[in-house]
Amino acid sequence: AGCRQFFYARYVDWFITTPLLILDLGLVAGQDFVTIAAVIGADMLMIVAGYMGAVSVVTTVKWFWFLFGLAMFLPVVYSLARTFRETVITRKDPEMIELYGKIAWLTIIMWSFYPIVWLFSEGFASFSVSFEVVAYTIMDIISKAVFSFMIVSAHDSLGSPSQAPAQSREYV
């Protein structure tokens, strides 16, 4: 694949932010902390594997790490699509079920594009570095900022420590 510009900061960013997204999803679903921690562990291994594959210069090592990362991605997706979903359904709160469904599927769909971009950028070096950076940036904005706006907009559904009426809340 030759020599390519490499942006390790994206992996540092993902190592910090993706566990926080999983924590949010788990808390919205009402999942137990042991399960959330296990999913976060698989997620962090997935990020490390992606990094190791991206910096590997030996082809077989690169593809080993890519496949290992995909193997860690599968339990993350399964947990978001099934385990956490089943937990939120047991809460029998239609607003929470709807919110969880929206943010979980946003996350699953957006995160499914990351290995594709990795495959054609760090993997085969088919995408230019510029295209790779733009693609990852767009996916990051959608999977993080849109996710966050959806959570914040559902603030009333999530409840708050203060039971003050909604009309008395002031937003800056």
Side-chain angles (χ1 to χ4, degrees):
C3 184
R4 281 176 64 89
Q5 247 183 321
F6 179 73
F7 302 98
Y8 70 89
R10 83 169 49 117
Y11 291 93
V12 174
D13 167 40
W14 295 338
F15 195 78
I16 295 167
T17 58
T18 58
L20 294 173
L21 293 172
I22 292 170
L23 177 62
D24 276 343
L25 285 159
L27 293 175
V28 167
Q31 190 64 53
D32 65 278
F33 286 108
V34 173
T35 304
I36 294 171
V39 176
I40 287 173
D43 172 68
M44 294 172 95
L45 286 172
M46 174 184 69
I47 301 301
V48 169
Y51 170 79
M52 295 300 291
V55 298
S56 297
V57 291
V58 177
T59 305
T60 53
V61 174
K62 175 183 291 291
W63 295 113
F64 165 79
W65 285 114
F66 176 74
L67 293 174
F68 182 80
L70 282 181
M72 293 297 101
F73 181 58
L74 295 176
V76 171
V77 169
Y78 180 84
S79 296
L80 299 181
R82 289 286 305 240
T83 310
F84 287 17
R85 183 176 171 274
E86 289 169 358
T87 301
V88 76
I89 288 171
T90 63
R91 295 174 66 181
K92 295 183 177 19
D93 181 347
E95 288 180 349
M96 294 302 281
I97 293 169
E98 181 182 359
L99 173 64
Y100 180 79
K102 287 178 182 177
I103 60 177
W105 282 109
L106 171 73
T107 302
I108 291 166
I109 291 167
M110 290 312 304
W111 284 10
S112 296
F113 287 109
Y114 284 87
I116 296 168
V117 172
W118 191 99
L119 187 66
F120 290 104
S121 55
E122 284 103 338
F124 295 127
S126 300
F127 291 164
S128 70
V129 173
S130 297
F131 180 84
E132 171 191 345
V133 169
V134 169
Y136 281 135
T137 301
I138 290 169
M139 291 185 301
D140 282 349
I141 290 169
I142 294 170
S143 63
K144 296 174 190 171
V146 173
F147 176 98
S148 298
F149 281 120
M150 291 170 78
I151 293 284
V152 170
S153 69
H155 184 266
D156 291 338
S157 301
L158 296 172
S160 65
S162 156
Q163 295 301 324
Q167 64 270 20
S168 68
R169 294 191 184 131
E170 188 174 318
Y171 297 97
V172 178

